[in-house]
Amino acid sequence: MGDAEFLQEMGRRIMVRRKGLQMTQEELASRMGVSTQMISNLELGKKAIRPENLSRLCGILQVSSDFILNGADTRTKVNSVAEKLLELTDGQLLMVSDMIDYITHKK
């Protein structure tokens, strides 16, 4: 994927998420402290986003930078695992906790 395609895909994810939150470009721009033109350029894939703006954007849109940059929705994966954990017994939760400690070398 070339740079232009990358920016267009990133812009599409921004636009879809913004619209999903029923937010206008003007509202997003105001909350970020940038111009509406900048938001339009981001969503059209005409401009790249600066790191400090990416951080603000992710906070406002309630998504991870992985989602904006790559389309990876890590929150959905974590939420899916959390839902499964709610169904486990105390003993099973302890086993899962021990496995996580083992995998992350915390013991």
Side-chain angles (χ1 to χ4, degrees):
M1 177 184 309
D3 290 347
E5 281 181 297
F6 175 79
L7 291 177
Q8 288 170 351
E9 285 297 311
M10 186 174 71
R12 185 190 59 75
R13 285 188 288 275
I14 293 168
M15 180 184 64
V16 167
R17 180 63 181 157
R18 174 183 60 75
K19 287 183 176 184
L21 294 172
Q22 299 178 343
M23 188 182 302
T24 65
Q25 286 185 341
E26 292 79 10
E27 290 171 318
L28 179 56
S30 175
R31 291 185 62 187
M32 286 185 65
V34 299
S35 70
T36 303
Q37 185 64 44
M38 180 189 155
I39 301 301
S40 176
N41 285 335
L42 283 175
E43 290 184 357
L44 293 171
K46 291 182 177 181
K47 298 273 184 180
I49 190 167
R50 297 174 65 169
E52 61 272 16
N53 288 336
L54 177 62
S55 177
R56 257 182 290 182
L57 176 72
C58 291
I60 294 165
L61 297 181
Q62 303 167 10
V63 295
S64 68
S65 57
D66 281 347
F67 175 74
I68 296 295
L69 296 172
N70 304 314
D73 192 357
T74 54
R75 289 183 186 201
T76 299
K77 292 175 188 171
V78 169
N79 288 339
S80 174
V81 170
E83 287 175 17
K84 291 176 184 177
L85 291 174
L86 292 173
E87 298 174 11
L88 300 180
T89 65
D90 287 345
Q92 290 169 326
L93 279 172
L94 182 59
M95 287 179 10
V96 170
S97 179
D98 287 345
M99 286 175 37
I100 292 170
D101 288 342
Y102 175 78
I103 292 168
T104 59
H105 309 296
K106 290 191 176 180
K107 278 194 174 183

